[in-house]
Amino acid sequence: MITALIVIIVIVLVVLLALYFLQRHYSQEYVAQSHARDGLVDKNLSSRLQAVSTMQLSGESHRQFVALQKAYNDSVKDQLEDVSDLLDEVPALIKGWKLPTVSQNLHDCGDLLNATSSAVKQVDTGLAKIEQDAKANRAAIDHLQTTYHQMATDLDDNAFKYGPTDDQLKSGFDKLQDKFKHFTQLTRDGDQDAAAELLKEVRQDTTDLQAVMKRVPDLYKPLATEYQTQVKELRSGYQTLTNQNYHFKGGDLTPQIDAVANRIQRNTTALTALKLDQVEKENAAIAKTIDGLYATMQAEIDARPRVAK
């Protein structure tokens, strides 16, 4: 009899201990799910949707916003309320030892949290993109306006350093400004998505034009001054040396000097068309040819004393 009583007591203790740990487990699960619910609520989607709705969106941005608003109403708002209702019941159920009901509530709540979490992530990501696009577009307008003012000033005040490319550069700058005006209008109209896509083009075109403006002066300067001066020196020097009865390997150098002058002219034309890689390569070749002509003359000048002796 005593043995049976002991067995019964042990069984009761085991059951109570199991119920205690189960109750503790459900309490911990309740706390975890409450935190998860609070994290979704903290996204503050309702007020953010309200704020974005005042941005007077249009085009693709407006279509995206409408879809996000629907997703919130259909898959977030009501489900969060259902999650809260289920969680609100749990403490009383745990205290009342209605553990099977607690288990079902927490199971249903977990499923709802998973579904709601996906919907919240979708809405949160979509809103963040619209918000960030709008912010980035407004910042880009201010930045690009400053950049274009500097570029316009440079083209107007320093036209001399761009030589024959000035008109071409200004034409490209006008087209760039037209694209920028379109981007600005899209931003003001609220089509932030289309504006963000166009901004990528505007930035790339701006970078490309700035790169061209940076390269042109260094390519134009030798064509306009250095090479022209050297050709004149070669002509004058060759004439002087010829009058002094110098003779050169390869015969008359005049055709070679004329050829260099023609190359300079052709390369200036290529520069006008902004064929910068071609111009850079030809400039190097012209410089090498000019150096060769100077070397040819210098070789005869250096040889003169030995010949005279």
Side-chain angles (χ1 to χ4, degrees), residues 36 205 231 296:
D205 291 350
V231 166
T296 297

Side-chain angles (χ1 to χ4, degrees), residues 185-233:
Q185 192 61 49
L186 285 173
T187 300
R188 290 173 178 167
D189 289 344
D191 196 348
Q192 305 301 337
D193 186 73
E197 287 299 314
L198 183 58
L199 178 58
K200 296 176 184 177
E201 293 183 30
V202 172
R203 281 177 169 160
Q204 186 60 56
D205 291 350
T206 301
T207 298
D208 292 344
L209 183 57
Q210 286 177 314
V212 170
M213 290 174 63
K214 184 177 181 180
R215 291 182 67 188
V216 164
D218 290 338
L219 295 174
Y220 173 61
K221 184 177 180 181
L223 290 170
T225 58
E226 181 182 343
Y227 297 162
Q228 300 287 356
T229 299
Q230 289 174 331
V231 166
K232 289 180 182 178
E233 287 180 349

Side-chain angles (χ1 to χ4, degrees), residues 4-235:
L5 183 59
I6 292 173
V7 170
I8 292 172
I9 291 172
V10 170
I11 293 174
V12 169
L13 289 175
V14 170
V15 170
L16 289 175
L17 190 61
L19 289 173
Y20 167 76
F21 281 110
L22 192 59
Q23 184 187 50
R24 184 179 178 185
H25 167 72
Y26 287 150
S27 295
Q28 292 173 341
E29 183 66 20
Y30 164 75
V31 172
Q33 291 191 5
S34 295
H35 287 165
R37 185 271 315 274
D38 293 343
L40 298 179
V41 172
D42 286 344
K43 294 294 184 181
N44 209 15
L45 296 182
S46 179
S47 60
R48 287 173 62 194
L49 283 164
Q50 179 61 33
V52 172
S53 71
T54 65
M55 294 170 62
Q56 297 181 334
L57 300 175
S58 66
E60 182 60 27
S61 293
H62 182 261
R63 287 190 287 273
Q64 291 175 357
F65 173 75
V66 170
L68 294 173
Q69 180 78 64
K70 186 176 187 302
Y72 174 77
N73 290 332
D74 294 348
S75 305
V76 176
K77 183 179 178 181
D78 291 341
Q79 288 182 180
L80 279 177
E81 291 177 357
D82 291 341
V83 167
S84 294
D85 290 341
L86 288 170
L87 288 175
D88 288 345
E89 296 175 358
V90 170
L93 293 172
I94 291 176
K95 288 180 181 179
W97 294 94
K98 297 180 179 179
L99 300 187
T101 306
V102 172
S103 176
Q104 186 62 50
N105 272 33
L106 291 176
H107 180 272
D108 294 344
C109 189
D111 290 343
L112 275 174
L113 279 171
N114 288 334
T116 307
S117 178
S118 298
V120 166
K121 184 177 180 180
Q122 174 192 351
V123 176
D124 179 51
T125 301
L127 286 176
K129 183 179 186 304
I130 293 175
E131 292 163 345
Q132 290 167 6
D133 282 349
K135 182 178 179 180
N137 291 342
R138 290 192 298 269
I141 289 174
D142 293 338
H143 174 72
L144 289 172
Q145 283 178 334
T146 300
T147 298
Y148 294 155
H149 175 72
Q150 294 170 344
M151 293 172 69
T153 299
D154 187 29
L155 287 171
D156 289 338
D157 295 348
N158 301 307
F160 64 91
K161 70 180 183 181
Y162 297 112
T165 68
D166 185 58
D167 289 341
Q168 185 85 329
L169 291 175
K170 286 181 177 178
S171 176
F173 183 60
D174 289 342
K175 292 178 182 177
L176 178 58
Q177 284 191 305
D178 288 341
K179 188 174 289 189
F180 172 68
K181 289 176 182 177
H182 185 205
F183 158 71
T184 301
Q185 192 61 49
L186 285 173
T187 300
R188 290 173 178 167
D189 289 344
D191 196 348
Q192 305 301 337
D193 186 73
E197 287 299 314
L198 183 58
L199 178 58
K200 296 176 184 177
E201 293 183 30
V202 172
R203 281 177 169 160
Q204 186 60 56
D205 291 350
T206 301
T207 298
D208 292 344
L209 183 57
Q210 286 177 314
V212 170
M213 290 174 63
K214 184 177 181 180
R215 291 182 67 188
V216 164
D218 290 338
L219 295 174
Y220 173 61
K221 184 177 180 181
L223 290 170
T225 58
E226 181 182 343
Y227 297 162
Q228 300 287 356
T229 299
Q230 289 174 331
V231 166
K232 289 180 182 178
E233 287 180 349
L234 288 170
R235 291 190 191 280

